[in-house]
Amino acid sequence: MTYQQNPAQPGQQPPLGMYAPPPKKMSAGAKVGIGCGGALGVIVVLAVIGAAIGGGGAASDAGKSDKVAAAPKQEQQAKEDAKPAKEKPKAPASQADRFKGFVKKGGTAAEKSAIAHVTKVQGADEQNDILDSVDVYTDFTGGLMGPHQSEGKLIASAFADWKDSKNGLVTIYDAKGEILSNGNF
């Protein structure tokens, strides 16, 4: 009779491949070190590329004198001084001013009254018909449940008359930045 011995007994080796230990995992410190080293490597490569692309500017300007560069500026200034004085062009009207002007021309009396409280309009010029979002700020108080919610709806309605979008949302805010009303345009 032959007896089989348990290979787990001390001092005996198991047959090859039978009880192989799992491979060692990388420690957290090693992972962090490799990650930081990779990030540092990317920064160095970007710095070298940046130096190669834009590094020649200082050497090419070294041969020029300051007087040569300043002369055209002085001549340009003298020409501008010699020209007859013209009126400076007016600054373009703000989005809020254009919106108020539109409502004053064709809005109802209630819309005209509500629009007088508009202080700022943002996003009315940047439209792409995908997701147009416009913010209109007022000097009203009370938020969505306050006493001026109806005026907020009037402002949103007037804005929809002024601008048109396939997928636009106008949000009316009160003086504290709380939503007063919103609507589609």
Side-chain angles (χ1 to χ4, degrees), residues 102-128:
F102 172 80
V103 174
K104 285 180 183 176
K105 286 181 184 175
T108 65
E111 288 175 338
K112 290 176 185 178
S113 174
I115 207 74
H117 295 275
V118 170
T119 58
K120 183 179 181 181
V121 176
Q122 281 185 315
D125 289 340
E126 303 92 21
Q127 290 188 345
N128 59 13

Side-chain angles (χ1 to χ4, degrees), residues 5 54 165:
Q5 293 182 355
S165 173

Side-chain angles (χ1 to χ4, degrees), residues 90-101 121 125 162:
K90 293 182 179 179
S94 70
Q95 295 176 29
D97 291 338
R98 292 189 306 238
F99 178 39
K100 287 179 178 182
V121 176
D125 289 340
W162 182 47

Side-chain angles (χ1 to χ4, degrees), residues 70-96:
K73 291 179 185 175
Q74 291 172 349
E75 291 175 11
Q76 181 70 20
Q77 184 65 34
K79 288 179 184 178
E80 289 178 8
D81 291 342
K83 290 180 183 178
K86 292 183 180 179
E87 289 183 30
K88 291 185 179 181
K90 293 182 179 179
S94 70
Q95 295 176 29

Side-chain angles (χ1 to χ4, degrees), residues 156-181:
S157 173
F159 189 87
D161 291 340
W162 182 47
K163 293 285 183 174
D164 190 33
S165 173
K166 292 179 182 174
N167 193 21
L169 175 69
V170 59
T171 306
I172 316 300
Y173 294 95
D174 70 1
K176 292 183 180 180
E178 295 178 10
I179 294 178
L180 186 64
S181 180

Side-chain angles (χ1 to χ4, degrees), residues 46-83:
L46 290 175
V48 169
I49 291 171
I53 291 174
S60 64
D61 292 342
K64 296 181 182 178
S65 71
D66 291 339
K67 292 180 183 178
V68 174
K73 291 179 185 175
Q74 291 172 349
E75 291 175 11
Q76 181 70 20
Q77 184 65 34
K79 288 179 184 178
E80 289 178 8
D81 291 342
K83 290 180 183 178

